[in-house]
Amino acid sequence: MSVILALPRDKRIKAAVAIAPAQSPRRLLYTDMRGKEQWPIVTPPTAEQLEWLSREEDPETWAQHFYPTAFLLLHGTHDQRVPAAASRLLYQALAPHYRQDPGRLSLVEYPGAGHRPTPEMAAATMEWVERFLLLGG
């Protein structure tokens, strides 16, 4: 999650890649592994969880500050730790802020991949870095 916390705060970052980012603590609490909202939730949040949810560490709170950083989200569809829905929700929150240059934001899902990075994800990362840092994309 550290890249997600750094991007809106540090404009020196020109390009970034996040693999299986846990984007929204609030949404993760209320979203099941299929990306379906769980409402009402089966287990009410604890006081600690509610405090965590109220912090300003929810990217949806400051999505407008990610642009113009080129941001690539990579996620395995069978991730059992962080559901792929987390990346989809983060992408949806960021997309309106990238309207003027949508090629600077991308989400790639890897069917059958779990939480660990794959060689395909490594290749996508290298391509992204080359495109936006080395070639000035």
Side-chain angles (χ1 to χ4, degrees):
M1 184 135 171
S2 59
V3 71
I4 293 174
L5 296 175
L7 285 183
R9 294 177 170 97
D10 190 342
K11 290 302 171 192
R12 295 174 298 171
I13 301 170
K14 302 302 178 200
V17 177
I19 300 175
Q23 57 78 271
S24 171
R26 180 173 31 85
R27 284 199 190 255
L28 282 178
L29 183 65
Y30 293 101
T31 305
D32 69 13
M33 291 299 293
R34 295 163 301 186
K36 305 256 190 218
E37 293 291 327
Q38 299 180 66
W39 194 260
I41 58 173
V42 178
T43 306
T46 65
E48 182 180 290
Q49 288 171 320
L50 288 173
E51 188 274 329
W52 180 53
L53 296 172
S54 66
R55 287 189 218 153
E56 289 191 27
E57 295 181 2
D58 188 337
E60 291 180 21
T61 304
W62 25 265
Q64 72 274 13
H65 299 293
F66 278 72
Y67 184 82
T69 302
F71 191 30
L72 174 62
L73 300 158
L74 305 174
H75 217 121
T77 59
H78 286 85
D79 190 329
Q80 296 297 309
R81 291 191 183 159
V82 179
S87 286
R88 288 184 216 118
L89 292 168
L90 178 56
Y91 180 86
Q92 290 169 2
L94 295 175
H97 305 287
Y98 281 80
R99 259 188 243 129
Q100 67 190 50
D101 195 356
R104 298 185 72 78
L105 177 66
S106 184
L107 167 62
V108 181
E109 293 186 32
Y110 293 86
H115 190 69
R116 292 182 173 220
T118 66
E120 295 82 10
M121 291 177 186
T125 298
M126 293 306 297
E127 289 172 15
W128 193 260
V129 168
E130 183 176 299
R131 176 178 169 195
F132 288 101
L133 293 182
L134 301 179
L135 301 177

